[in-house]
Amino acid sequence: MINKFLFKHIDNSALIVFRIIFGLLCFLESVGAIFTGWIKNTLIEPKFTFNFIGFDFLQPLPGNWMYVYYFIMGCFGLLIMVGYKYRLSMIAFTVMWTTTYLMQKSSYNNHYYLLCLLSGIMVFLPANKYASIDAKLNPEIKKISMPSWCKWIFVVQLLILYTYASIAKMYPDWLDLSVPRQLLENKINYPIIGQLLQNQYLPIFVAYGGILYDGLIIPLLLFKPTRKLAFYSSIIFHLFNSIVFQVGIFPYLALAFSLFFFAPELVKKIFLKNKPLYKDNQVIIPNYKPILIGATTLYFIIQIILPLRHHFINDNVLWTEEGHRLSWRMMLRSKSGYATYKVVDKNTNQETLINLNDYLTKKQQRLVTTRPDVIWQFAQHLKKDYKSKGQDIAVYVSAKVSVNGRPHKTLINTKTDLASVKWQPFKHSDWVLPSQLDK
């Protein structure tokens, strides 16, 4: 049964078209970062970046070299799209994209993480077997079929993503419309649609429509009688998100996944008219079967476990941020705050208040006032900076944070020297004070 499910060959039209769209979106995401000023604001203007903890060695290239970096990455996207040196291009893009993802947290976005995962998956897929330069230069690799697992690996990944996204929204601040209202109120200055987004019923659509869509979209796409309705709903849902919340390429990437749910005949008819349709349904057991099953099982176990980890860490993830990333917790909270950093020379006891403008961009300052892990990282950066001047210091932080419009509460224990605290990635940091979000 497992052999037929995973290794029965099916028409590969969906994967071929997806490769073309995926490569194009990778190109647009890369060059878009150049022309929108994202690279300048995120990787060039900052004196340093807040990388994922443990990846301190990943820092932006000096000067304007990050523009060159992203241009090269965009070129790899084009090579993926046309299917030239596909495997090498896919590996290069995966490494370059994942490197920049781990390099900074100022612009954390779930679709950046998704693109890391998808790029890694695409490395192993036979996506260049048709309508590619590789297949034209080497006709021996040309194929019109693929094993079924190439489809199901996307379906399962999406099922995990959307299920967790739906479950994460089932908490009081989302259900009582507090967060959706704040999200839409922040868009009031949008040209043309700003006032329309203030409609009193729109938060209901965003809140409960989001839960229902995320929770049901994969089953509805899999079920043939509801497939078209689900697809049309996807178009409305993702275009709304693209226009209103400006979440990059994710809405279009999500729509591209629909290819794997429709009949190959339809995909071929629309996109690859001259391609033969594969109908043999052969079951071909490859030599790599044990490796594939073992590696894929481990991968999905990790994907299932990661979003659950905040349940095993003390306090509310909305407050501590511990377990927030890599968990498909999308647009779930609004935070504001202010913080004071006090540096104390251990030898002279001289105290100095840090002017954040001397170290950080405005974007980074929002993080070092509300995110405990970034607050800790900045304290470590101050320690290194003062050590280079021959001073041994302690760093104390007074931070007040508001979550989803609540009154500001003290976030950090003001008596803890954050410069001397070790980071514990799998435990709650006890220098983060209790949230009291329900009080």
Side-chain angles (χ1 to χ4, degrees), residues 102-319:
L102 297 173
M103 188 184 293
Q104 63 82 33
K105 291 186 289 191
S106 299
S107 297
Y108 177 83
N109 192 309
N110 277 282
H111 91 255
Y112 296 164
Y113 171 48
L114 177 63
L115 197 52
C116 290
L117 299 179
L118 293 178
S119 298
I121 290 172
M122 289 288 285
V123 167
F124 300 98
L125 298 184
N128 63 330
K129 302 299 184 181
Y130 195 88
S132 70
I133 295 177
D134 287 347
K136 186 173 183 179
L137 295 177
N138 184 12
E140 291 182 0
I141 72 167
K142 195 171 186 179
K143 291 184 179 179
I144 60 172
S145 70
M146 65 180 182
S148 294
W149 67 263
C150 295
K151 164 189 172 178
W152 288 106
I153 198 168
F154 287 118
V155 174
V156 176
Q157 179 67 75
L158 289 175
L159 181 63
I160 293 172
L161 184 162
Y162 281 118
T163 299
Y164 277 121
S166 179
I167 293 172
K169 292 180 176 70
M170 297 179 191
Y171 83 103
D173 290 2
W174 188 270
L175 297 175
D176 70 8
L177 308 183
S178 299
V179 174
R181 281 199 187 99
Q182 290 180 47
L183 290 172
L184 294 170
E185 286 170 0
N186 291 336
K187 314 300 180 187
I188 192 170
N189 294 322
Y190 273 23
I192 303 175
I193 64 171
Q195 290 297 328
L196 296 176
L197 295 177
Q198 308 312 306
N199 183 283
Q200 60 178 326
Y201 298 109
L202 201 53
I204 301 174
F205 168 78
V206 171
Y208 291 92
I211 292 173
L212 291 173
Y213 178 86
D214 290 343
L216 297 175
I217 187 58
I218 300 304
L220 292 178
L221 282 171
L222 286 170
F223 189 47
K224 187 175 180 180
T226 58
R227 188 170 295 151
K228 286 186 178 180
L229 177 62
F231 178 65
Y232 295 141
S233 300
S234 293
I235 294 175
I236 296 171
F237 181 82
H238 288 300
L239 288 182
F240 178 86
N241 282 341
S242 178
I243 295 169
V244 176
F245 299 118
Q246 299 180 359
V247 285
I249 65 169
F250 175 72
Y252 308 99
L253 189 58
L255 287 173
F257 283 123
S258 301
L259 291 162
F260 295 101
F261 295 91
F262 283 94
E265 294 88 345
L266 181 61
V267 176
K268 188 193 87 68
K269 180 180 179 181
I270 296 174
F271 297 102
L272 299 169
K273 290 182 170 56
N274 296 324
K275 177 182 175 294
L277 181 68
Y278 179 82
K279 299 179 180 179
D280 292 346
N281 294 324
Q282 284 183 296
V283 177
I284 304 174
I285 310 300
N287 295 330
Y288 59 77
K289 173 186 172 181
I291 297 175
L292 174 70
I293 293 177
T296 305
T297 301
L298 177 62
Y299 171 79
F300 283 123
I301 287 174
I302 293 172
Q303 285 296 302
I304 291 169
I305 290 175
L306 276 178
L308 295 173
R309 68 194 190 280
H310 71 87
H311 293 292
F312 300 93
I313 302 174
N314 291 342
D315 215 332
N316 193 321
V317 63
L318 294 172
W319 178 256

